[in-house]
Amino acid sequence: MKSSARAVGKTIGPTVFVVDDDASVREALSSLIRSIDLNVETFPSAREFLQHKRPDVPACLVLDVRLPGLSGLDLQRELTTAKNGIPIIFITGHGDVPMSVRAMKAGAVEFLTKPFRDQELLDAIQQAIERDRELLKHRSEAAILDARYQMLTPREREVMGLVIRGLLNKQIAGQLDTSEITVKIQRGQAMKKMQAQSVPELVRISEKLGLFNQS
């Protein structure tokens, strides 16, 4: 059964998800995490966590390695496949070096072996929340830039692509078999829609959109 420290009607803040099949551990971790004013949601299995809709707030996952059914490492792999980048802190009473290396290589924030100090976990949680806050910020910025890019016409995208490669208006006109004045207008429209004040800024935007990887 899932439990939550959220109060109905309140704004959702940073949230820590705890997945552990031991009810006493879930309760103890919930109490500890609530002591630093973070929301907590707990789950007894990886499958129940996967069925839960994650709120759009900074979050992290405190995850037991050994779980019934889908293990903690299996869950990490599924989240990676689904491109769910929630930061993970592993906890276990049966850890070994190969297991911890595997988890850390796959992107885990920390791998704590029981018994661990409360402060170790709290420090890892704060680090993970901050990491996810930055990820959410970057995703939000990317979504805004992508929405602007979708406003460009196909020709404006072509012109933009050539501008960020360093071509001059005359060169672009020759490559696209059009007039220099037309290129100038289309270039201006692309700059305006992308809200770029200069070519260097347009290049930085293009890097964030991954346009250089497409060329």
Side-chain angles (χ1 to χ4, degrees), residues 16-19 49 59-63 75 79 86-90:
V16 180
F17 300 103
V18 176
V19 180
F49 172 74
C60 72
L61 174 60
V62 176
L63 179 60
L75 174 58
L79 292 173
I86 185 169
I88 298 174
I89 300 160
F90 280 103

Side-chain angles (χ1 to χ4, degrees), residues 172-191:
I172 296 172
Q175 188 158 329
L176 298 180
D177 193 26
T178 187
S179 69
E180 193 172 343
I181 187 65
T182 298
V183 169
K184 185 176 181 180
I185 293 171
Q186 292 166 338
R187 174 176 175 158
Q189 285 298 313
M191 298 275 287

Side-chain angles (χ1 to χ4, degrees), residues 13-209:
T15 300
V16 180
F17 300 103
V18 176
V19 180
D20 196 299
D21 61 329
D22 188 324
S24 63
V25 171
R26 294 198 301 273
E27 184 54 39
L29 291 177
S30 292
S31 179
L32 174 64
I33 295 164
R34 285 197 299 267
S35 72
I36 57 171
D37 296 324
L38 291 174
N39 294 312
V40 187
E41 295 193 30
T42 66
F43 305 82
S45 72
R47 286 297 177 199
E48 288 195 39
F49 172 74
L50 286 172
Q51 293 167 5
H52 177 73
K53 182 177 170 68
R54 177 186 166 184
D56 190 23
V57 296
C60 72
L61 174 60
V62 176
L63 179 60
D64 191 10
V65 172
R66 295 196 175 184
L67 294 167
L70 199 68
S71 73
L73 292 172
D74 290 336
L75 174 58
Q76 181 187 37
R77 185 170 57 251
E78 287 212 12
L79 292 173
T80 300
T81 300
K83 296 185 178 179
N84 181 332
I86 185 169
I88 298 174
I89 300 160
F90 280 103
I91 56 173
T92 182
H94 310 281
D96 55 41
V97 173
M99 187 184 293
S100 63
V101 169
R102 176 182 167 190
M104 298 301 285
K105 278 188 174 180
V109 173
E110 187 58 273
F111 192 98
L112 300 174
T113 303
K114 301 172 186 175
F116 50 79
R117 293 185 299 108
D118 288 351
Q119 195 58 48
E120 285 184 283
L121 177 60
L122 294 178
D123 288 346
I125 287 172
Q126 296 286 18
Q127 179 187 345
I129 291 288
E130 188 56 37
R131 178 190 291 188
D132 200 50
R133 182 177 283 111
E134 286 300 311
L135 286 172
L136 288 175
K137 178 183 176 183
H138 291 156
R139 287 192 202 110
S140 176
E141 290 176 350
I144 291 171
L145 293 178
D146 185 64
R148 292 175 188 169
Y149 186 68
Q150 297 306 320
M151 293 171 59
L152 302 184
T153 65
R155 178 46 65 92
E156 287 167 353
R157 292 183 192 179
E158 281 187 281
V159 170
M160 176 176 165
L162 295 172
V163 168
I164 64 176
R165 284 169 51 191
L167 275 68
L168 301 175
N169 288 350
K170 184 176 182 180
Q171 294 170 311
I172 296 172
Q175 188 158 329
L176 298 180
D177 193 26
T178 187
S179 69
E180 193 172 343
I181 187 65
T182 298
V183 169
K184 185 176 181 180
I185 293 171
Q186 292 166 338
R187 174 176 175 158
Q189 285 298 313
M191 298 275 287
K192 181 179 179 181
K193 290 178 182 179
M194 296 306 299
Q195 298 184 25
Q197 302 303 313
S198 64
V199 172
E201 186 177 356
L202 190 66
V203 169
R204 287 193 293 272
I205 290 172
S206 300
E207 289 175 338
K208 291 179 180 179
L209 287 171

